[in-house]
Amino acid sequence: TLYPHFTAADRAIAHLTIHHPQMVDRLSSRELGRQCGVSEASVVRFAKKLGYAGFPDFKQDLHHDIISSQALGSPAFSAADSGAEVLSKVVALCMQALRHLTSVVDTNELERAAKVISAAICVHFFAAGGSVRVAQHAAFKLMRMGYMSVAYSDPYTQKGQASLIAATDVAIGISYTGSTKSVIDALSVAKENGATTVCITNFTGTPIIDVEDIKLATAAPGGVLSANSDRARVNQFACLATLSAVSCRV
């Protein structure tokens, strides 16, 4: 991945593109620079750094990805579909994602994560955006199982909360893209405090890998623009549900 080599300007542009692709698709290079607080030249350099001849080529590829991700999330739905037909298509999508998860997830890493959770004094979850609900559900599930667990969702305080984590704790960061700054910063602080860190992400080779002890890849189909797709969320829930179940029997 190029992310570790990005400048502050590059990261600002990448963040807006990942989280608001439709907005970026409508902007000129000058408008995008204004939105990100960088120069138009920085936008052009960003596009070239990614291998494009210029910003227009970058936008053309982005537009294609947006259309593709929408098609992946809504396969051949039509106004004529009955409720039963829509349900069948949604279930098929989720099953496809779950089958893919079973073929790529590292079960040895799952076992390692389950062991450290079972021995932890407290399990801390850090997430942002759509992953927050996943983290809250996982924390509540572990509490119901008798574990001390808490989920943090405020990106402005996560780093401070992580500074209170002890070496006897486990910190779990959930980031679909693997580049959510608040989650990465929190895991980094927790790791410095001696806690075991676990990341749940869709992509390898991303910045979050640098601050984890145990990596669980969900590998939901789709690119970075599919971060809020049903398939991405289903795989996150399934991964954490498996982790909870394995922790219970360790």
Side-chain angles (χ1 to χ4, degrees), residues 6 46 49 55 61 73 101 104 121 126-127 140 158 162-163 169 197 202 205-206 211 215 235:
F6 279 176
F46 173 77
K49 188 172 292 187
F55 184 67
D61 212 12
L101 175 65
V104 300
I121 298 299
F126 298 92
F140 180 72
Q158 285 181 344
S163 67
D169 296 342
T197 56
N202 207 65
T206 51
V211 294
K215 176 187 66 184
N235 276 20

Side-chain angles (χ1 to χ4, degrees), residues 109-127:
E109 290 286 87
L110 267 174
E111 294 280 1
R112 285 183 62 209
K115 286 180 180 178
V116 296
I117 287 175
S118 66
I121 298 299
C122 185
V123 181
H124 306 260
F125 288 89
F126 298 92

Side-chain angles (χ1 to χ4, degrees), residues 33-50:
R34 188 178 301 117
Q35 285 287 337
C36 296
V38 303
S39 67
E40 182 178 5
S42 294
V43 173
V44 175
R45 283 195 295 269
F46 173 77
K48 290 184 176 180
K49 188 172 292 187
L50 295 180

Side-chain angles (χ1 to χ4, degrees), residues 5-248:
H5 306 289
F6 279 176
T7 63
D10 292 333
R11 294 182 183 185
I13 300 167
H15 184 271
L16 189 66
T17 302
I18 290 170
H19 295 284
H20 302 284
Q22 288 84 359
M23 177 194 294
V24 174
D25 189 38
R26 298 191 300 268
L27 299 176
S28 67
S29 56
R30 180 175 298 176
E31 292 168 335
L32 177 56
R34 188 178 301 117
Q35 285 287 337
C36 296
V38 303
S39 67
E40 182 178 5
S42 294
V43 173
V44 175
R45 283 195 295 269
F46 173 77
K48 290 184 176 180
K49 188 172 292 187
L50 295 180
Y52 296 98
F55 184 67
D57 289 334
F58 168 76
K59 275 190 64 176
Q60 183 178 6
D61 212 12
L62 174 65
H63 183 74
H64 179 267
D65 281 351
I66 291 172
I67 299 301
S68 297
S69 65
Q70 290 173 342
L72 284 169
S74 303
F77 287 130
S78 75
D81 285 346
S82 66
E85 289 171 327
V86 172
L87 175 62
S88 177
K89 291 176 180 179
V90 170
V91 170
L93 270 177
C94 293
M95 289 178 64
Q96 178 191 41
L98 290 170
R99 281 194 295 269
H100 194 235
L101 175 65
T102 59
S103 67
V104 300
V105 72
D106 189 332
T107 54
N108 290 326
E109 290 286 87
L110 267 174
E111 294 280 1
R112 285 183 62 209
K115 286 180 180 178
V116 296
I117 287 175
S118 66
I121 298 299
C122 185
V123 181
H124 306 260
F125 288 89
F126 298 92
S131 297
V132 167
R133 297 292 176 262
V134 180
Q136 291 173 333
H137 175 79
F140 180 72
K141 188 166 187 175
L142 285 178
M143 282 192 288
R144 291 290 300 270
M145 293 167 59
Y147 294 96
M148 185 178 293
S149 182
V150 61
Y152 306 103
S153 59
D154 184 354
Y156 299 104
T157 61
Q158 285 181 344
K159 190 173 181 179
Q161 289 159 334
S163 67
L164 302 176
I165 292 177
T168 52
D169 296 342
V170 171
I172 300 178
I174 307 174
S175 171
Y176 175 85
T177 63
S179 59
T180 309
K181 187 178 186 303
S182 63
V183 175
I184 294 170
D185 287 346
L187 287 190
S188 178
V189 171
K191 190 176 179 69
E192 289 175 2
N193 285 357
T196 301
T197 56
V198 180
C199 79
I200 297 176
T201 183
N202 207 65
F203 305 101
T204 58
T206 51
I208 200 169
I209 303 303
D210 297 331
V211 294
E212 53 81 15
D213 295 308
I214 300 171
K215 176 187 66 184
L216 298 175
T218 53
V224 293
L225 301 185
S226 299
N228 292 309
S229 69
D230 293 333
R231 296 190 297 182
R233 212 61 69 219
V234 162
N235 276 20
Q236 287 178 336
F237 275 115
C239 188
L240 283 163
T242 304
L243 189 56
S244 299
V246 176
S247 299
C248 190

